[in-house]
């Protein structure tokens, strides 16, 4: 089966088509609301790159949720239907579909802002466009791996939702765990100057992607969105400081540890990607 036919076949499946429609509607709303609402102070610092950066967090959220759920759905469906496709083949097909959808969503998010914000920097945007498919494939991979160890039973569905929720809300889980271990509740607006705490905060693929993209565009070593990261690093001139709950390494540490740098975040994302591939390949060979 040709690549084009494989992608077309996936898009004919109702969940994939539904994800494409819903995610398109969501990103269009984001482009019409959050895009124009970025503070002028942030635009002054970031420049035309805001045409990309304003949407990174929303893109990361939509791609991960959609990729995870589609990967889990296809894997568990195949288990129940005893399809002839291997796990590796299913993963490849779903990943291709999600990569195509993520490319369309990225084009929509950027294209709607270019007339007002200008064309973003070329090289960083190329790097961003190369990283995004890796993130999309990782999102699908995490869903497929979850599907391998669960099923479509009620217990399996609850388990999958717990995995999805734990990744999306990983920072809150770390805050609770860190406060429990240290005996001191964590104030996210004044986080502890502990490199390990900052590292744990960005270990999910969702946060690693955001941190990596921030680094690509030279925003700072932060796993938070561009607006609060910029406001934390470079507050408006009438303010001496601007307190946010952005976890910006440069704002907390005089010397940023190497494992909190942006390139380390991209390396961590690649480790997630590679690990899911290894698990999926080993399952296919069984």
């Amino acid at each position: 089966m040709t690549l084009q036919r494989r992608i077309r076949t996936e898009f004919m499946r109702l969940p994939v088509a539904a994800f494409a429609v819903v995610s398109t509607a969501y990103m269009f709303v984001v482009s019409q609301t959050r895009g124009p609402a970025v503070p002028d102070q942030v635009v002054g610092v970031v420049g035309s790159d805001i045409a990309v950066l304003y949407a990174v967090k929303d893109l990361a959220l939509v791609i991960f949720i959609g990729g995870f759920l589609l990967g889990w759905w296809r894997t568990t469906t195949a288990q129940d239907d005893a399809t002839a496709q291997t796990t590796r083949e299913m993963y490849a097909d779903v990943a291709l579909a999600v990569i195509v959808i993520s490319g369309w969503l990225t084009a929509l998010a950027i294209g709607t802002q270019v007339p007002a914000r200008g064309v973003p920097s070329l090289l960083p945007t190329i790097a961003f466009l190369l990283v995004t498919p890796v993130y999309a494939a990782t999102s699908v991979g995490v869903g497929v791996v979850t599907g391998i160890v669960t099923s479509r039973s009620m217990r399996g569905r609850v388990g999958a939702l717990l995995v999805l929720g734990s990744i999306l809300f990983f920072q809150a889980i770390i805050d609770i765990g860190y406060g429990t271990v240290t005996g001191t509740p964590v104030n996210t607006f004044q986080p502890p100057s502990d490199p390990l705490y900052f590292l744990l905060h960005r270990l999910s693929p969702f946060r690693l992607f955001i941190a990596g993209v921030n680094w690509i565009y030279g925003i700072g070593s932060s796993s938070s969105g561009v607006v609060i990261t910029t406001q934390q690093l470079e507050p408006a001139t009438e303010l001496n400081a601007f307190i946010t709950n952005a976890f910006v390494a440069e704002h907390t540490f005089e010397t940023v540890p190497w494992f909190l740098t942006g390139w380390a975040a991209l390396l961590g994302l690649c480790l997630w990607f590679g690990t899911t591939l290894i698990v999926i390949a080993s399952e296919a060979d069984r």
Side-chain angles (χ1 to χ4, degrees), residues 163-185:
V163 173
L164 177 61
S166 65
I167 291 177
L168 293 178
F169 297 99
F170 192 69
Q171 289 184 319
I173 296 172
I174 293 301
D175 290 340
I176 295 172
Y178 189 90
T180 301
V181 171
T182 61
T184 304

Side-chain angles (χ1 to χ4, degrees), residues 120-155:
S121 303
L122 178 60
L123 292 180
T125 301
I126 291 175
F128 167 68
L129 294 176
L130 292 175
V131 170
T132 303
V134 176
Y135 174 66
T138 302
S139 302
V140 175
V142 175
V144 170
V145 171
T146 303
I148 290 173
V149 298
T150 62
S151 65
R152 296 192 72 188
S153 66
M154 182 58 65
R155 182 178 299 179

